[in-house]
């Protein structure tokens, strides 16, 4: 009993450390987003949204999701070797992607500006992937305080640079500011983890890849499919509804993502490490801990969403000019989806811990289908609202179904 209280207390302290950092980061980020939105306008936010979407896709492809293994790999030498290998893997995969983008650009000479944004997103994805590798390595070492501090630093650098660059780059200042800030943070990460750098053992890396082949076989395709499904929306919305419409959608999603990232950043990495330890040592505690986290996440997110859709939206419309049309509508519709995501995503790494990685693949194929289905129906009726309602409805069903499945599987392990 004392051991359980002690471990729970440590777990709660670790979450609190992450929560403090995430709270400061998200408050700064939220206020900064409003100022930047008013300053830059819908078109600049539309370009920035497309840049972020491409960056998100490329960063998944860069590491093949192998950074996940830094937490679940038990052998110290194997973990350190993988840590060093992932930087080389990221560079090689990024160069291959950049080469293909460069070749394709020759067939679209009149679209050079768009391909320039894509190339910038590849550069951003390299730094972002490096940071993710560092972050997972610090997660294993349970250095949550440092991770928390860097999250605040990232937001601060990002906003400061985007504000500074507005006068010089009124359309692409958001992109350039984000890119420079992520590179600066990457340099800082390298100085922190400098003692862990060493030469790469290829045979040991091969062994690690074989032991964790389900990550590449199931998690990577699942994450890529999910990324395509999510990140294709900016392109489709921009093509069929216009850049300004996507700019409003992106701002709405960014506002709702603020409390979501606050919860997810506080819980996900701490829970991942905790769940991996408890699975073999105390599976019954894992079930109870997971339930408590899910309930608290839903309650906290519901509070934020009610606040955003009542008092929050009133002040947002007051602060922003009238050109941000439909912000209230998009925010309300997407609130239901973000609530369902907050119930599952912070504990989603339990799928990897339970070695049920095929569920990632099945679920993300489902997301891919409903996103395209929702957009297609909305396009037929020339209404983005219909698209968002359908994507939200079926998305909620998917996230909640996966949540119940995960709890059921944890309970099975606990009853053994």
């Amino acid at each position: 009993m004392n051991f359980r209280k002690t471990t729970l207390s440590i777990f709660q302290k670790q979450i609190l450390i992450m929560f403090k950092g995430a709270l400061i980061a998200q408050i700064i980020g939220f206020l900064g987003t409003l100022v930047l939105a008013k300053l830059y306008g819908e078109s600049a936010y539309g370009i920035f949204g497309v840049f972020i979407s491409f960056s998100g896709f490329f960063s998944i492809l860069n590491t093949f999701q192998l950074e996940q293994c830094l937490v679940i790999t038990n052998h110290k030498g194997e973990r350190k070797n993988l840590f060093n290998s992932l930087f080389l893997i990221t560079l090689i995969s990024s160069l291959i992607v950049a080469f293909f983008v460069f070749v394709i650009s020759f067939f679209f000479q009149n679209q050079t500006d768009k391909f320039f944004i894509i190339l910038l997103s590849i550069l951003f994805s390299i730094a972002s992937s490096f940071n993710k590798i560092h972050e997972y390595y610090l997660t294993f070492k349970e250095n949550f305080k440092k991770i928390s501090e860097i999250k605040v630093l990232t937001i601060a650098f990002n906003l400061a640079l985007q504000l500074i660059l507005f006068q010089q780059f009124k359309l692409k200042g958001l992109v350039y500011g984000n890119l420079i800030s992520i590179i600066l943070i990457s340099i800082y990460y390298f100085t922190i983890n400098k003692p862990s750098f060493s030469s790469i053992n290829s045979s040991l890396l091969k062994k690690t890849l074989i032991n964790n082949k389900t990550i590449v076989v199931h998690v990577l395709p699942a994450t890529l499919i999910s990324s395509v499904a999510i990140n294709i929306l900016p392109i489709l919305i921009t093509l069929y509804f216009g850049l300004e419409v996507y700019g409003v959608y992106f701002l709405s999603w960014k506002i709702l993502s603020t409390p979501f990232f606050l919860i997810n950043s506080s819980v996900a990495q701490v829970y991942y490490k905790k769940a991996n330890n408890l699975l073999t040592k105390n599976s019954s505690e894992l079930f109870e801990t997971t339930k408590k986290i899910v309930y608290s996440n839903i309650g906290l997110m519901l509070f934020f969403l009610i606040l955003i859709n009542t008092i929050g939206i009133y002040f947002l419309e007051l602060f922003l000019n009238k050109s941000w049309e439909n912000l209230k509508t998009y925010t309300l519709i997407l609130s239901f989806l973000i609530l369902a995501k907050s119930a599952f995503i912070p504990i989603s790494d339990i799928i990897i811990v339970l070695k049920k990685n095929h569920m990632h693949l099945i679920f993300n194929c489902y997301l891919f289908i409903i996103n395209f289905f929702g957009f297609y129906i909305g396009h037929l009726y020339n209404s983005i609202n219909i698209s968002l309602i359908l994507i939200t409805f079926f998305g909620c069903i998917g996230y909640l179904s996966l949540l119940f499945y995960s709890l059921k599987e944890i309970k099975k392990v606990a009853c053994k």
Side-chain angles (χ1 to χ4, degrees):
M1 182 61 73
N2 288 335
F3 172 74
R4 182 173 178 176
K5 283 183 179 179
T6 304
T7 53
L8 192 60
S9 176
I10 293 169
F11 180 55
Q12 289 169 338
K13 284 178 181 177
Q14 289 171 338
I15 288 181
L16 187 60
I17 289 169
M18 292 296 287
F19 182 81
K20 285 178 181 177
L23 179 62
I24 296 167
Q26 293 308 314
I27 289 173
I28 295 170
F30 180 73
L31 296 175
T33 295
L34 297 184
V35 173
L36 292 170
K38 189 174 179 66
L39 208 59
Y40 279 94
E42 307 98 304
S43 296
Y45 252 85
I47 294 170
F48 182 52
V50 172
F51 166 77
I52 290 295
S53 295
F54 275 112
S55 301
F57 176 75
F58 292 140
S59 64
I60 291 167
L61 193 62
N62 285 349
T63 62
F64 301 98
Q65 294 294 282
L66 289 168
E67 71 276 2
Q68 305 268 2
C69 304
L70 292 170
V71 177
I72 59 176
T73 301
N74 295 320
H75 190 270
K76 184 180 177 182
E78 200 173 338
R79 184 183 310 104
K80 189 176 180 180
N81 187 63
L82 177 62
F83 171 71
N84 286 277
S85 302
L86 280 171
F87 296 113
L88 182 61
I89 291 169
T90 296
L91 284 174
I92 293 171
S93 59
S94 298
L95 285 172
I96 293 169
V97 171
F99 173 76
F100 278 108
V101 170
F102 184 72
V103 170
I104 293 168
S105 67
F106 279 100
F107 298 96
F108 299 90
Q109 292 294 333
N110 59 333
Q111 302 288 328
T112 52
D113 193 52
K114 291 177 182 177
F115 277 99
F116 178 64
I117 293 293
I118 295 173
L119 288 172
L120 287 179
S121 70
I122 293 172
L123 185 59
F124 179 90
S125 74
I126 294 171
S128 179
S129 296
F130 283 174
N131 294 356
K132 196 160 53 171
I133 295 163
H134 286 295
E135 196 173 283
Y136 270 93
Y137 193 66
L138 290 177
T139 298
F140 170 79
K141 295 167 77 173
E142 298 189 2
N143 194 348
F144 298 112
K145 186 177 180 181
K146 183 57 68 177
I147 295 172
S148 181
E149 288 171 359
I150 291 175
K151 286 184 186 296
V152 177
L153 203 59
T154 302
I155 294 287
F157 275 3
N158 189 24
L159 292 176
L161 286 164
Q162 287 174 331
L163 284 169
I164 292 167
L165 293 172
F166 172 70
Q167 289 299 327
Q168 189 69 28
F169 308 99
K170 287 184 168 56
L171 271 180
K172 296 191 179 80
L174 292 168
V175 172
Y176 297 146
N178 211 27
L179 178 60
I180 296 168
S181 66
I182 203 77
I183 291 172
L184 290 174
I185 292 298
S186 189
I187 293 168
Y188 181 52
Y189 259 127
F190 273 105
T191 60
I192 293 168
N193 285 325
K194 189 178 178 181
S196 298
F197 295 140
S198 62
S199 58
I200 298 168
N201 186 327
S202 56
S203 58
L204 186 58
L205 175 62
K206 186 178 178 181
K207 179 187 172 184
T208 306
L209 295 177
I210 292 169
N211 291 339
N212 296 280
K213 62 182 179 181
T214 58
I215 297 288
V216 178
V217 173
H218 293 128
V219 177
L220 175 62
T223 313
L224 283 175
I225 290 168
S226 172
S227 182
V228 169
I230 293 167
N231 294 320
I232 198 70
L233 286 178
I235 298 167
L236 295 175
I237 293 171
T238 302
L239 284 174
Y240 291 103
F241 297 107
L243 192 63
E244 288 78 12
V245 172
Y246 177 65
V248 179
Y249 166 85
F250 181 68
L251 178 62
S252 176
W253 187 255
K254 199 168 176 62
I255 289 166
L256 291 170
S257 295
T258 297
F260 171 74
F261 283 125
L262 170 63
I263 294 168
N264 192 46
S265 299
S266 305
V267 174
Q269 286 166 301
V270 182
Y271 174 78
Y272 189 16
K273 184 71 170 70
K274 178 76 172 177
N276 190 54
N277 291 338
L278 287 178
L279 184 68
T280 52
K281 294 177 182 177
N282 195 339
S283 53
S284 60
E285 186 185 332
L286 175 60
F287 180 69
E288 293 301 321
T289 301
T290 304
K291 279 202 306 181
K292 286 177 184 177
I293 289 172
V294 170
Y295 292 149
S296 62
N297 287 350
I298 292 173
L300 193 58
M301 193 67 202
L302 192 59
F303 168 77
F304 281 125
L305 290 175
I306 292 170
L307 202 64
I308 288 170
N309 284 283
T310 52
I311 302 169
I313 204 70
Y314 170 76
F315 282 108
L316 279 172
E317 289 184 330
L318 204 64
F319 179 77
L320 298 169
N321 53 49
K322 291 181 180 179
S323 61
W324 290 90
E325 193 180 352
N326 291 321
L327 184 65
K328 181 193 288 187
T329 306
Y330 297 170
T331 303
L332 180 61
I333 295 170
L334 293 170
S335 290
F336 294 96
L337 182 59
I338 211 83
L339 181 62
K341 285 186 72 172
S342 67
F344 175 71
I345 295 298
I347 60 124
S348 60
D349 286 327
I350 192 64
I351 298 291
I352 297 172
V353 174
L354 292 169
K355 300 190 186 301
K356 300 289 182 180
N357 293 327
H358 62 285
M359 290 305 298
H360 269 302
L361 186 57
I362 295 168
F363 175 69
N364 286 303
C365 285
Y366 169 79
L367 281 185
F368 182 84
I369 293 167
I370 65 167
N371 279 4
F372 271 90
F373 169 76
F375 182 82
Y376 176 71
I377 299 298
H379 175 55
L380 284 180
Y381 289 93
N382 195 30
S383 172
I384 190 174
N385 289 351
I386 291 175
S387 293
L388 296 182
I389 289 168
L390 289 172
I391 290 168
T392 294
F393 176 74
F394 289 108
C396 287
I397 291 173
Y399 281 112
L400 294 177
S401 297
L402 197 54
L403 171 65
F404 291 129
Y405 170 81
S406 301
L407 290 172
K408 184 181 174 183
E409 290 300 313
I410 297 170
K411 195 171 184 178
K412 275 185 188 177
V413 176
C415 292
K416 285 182 181 179

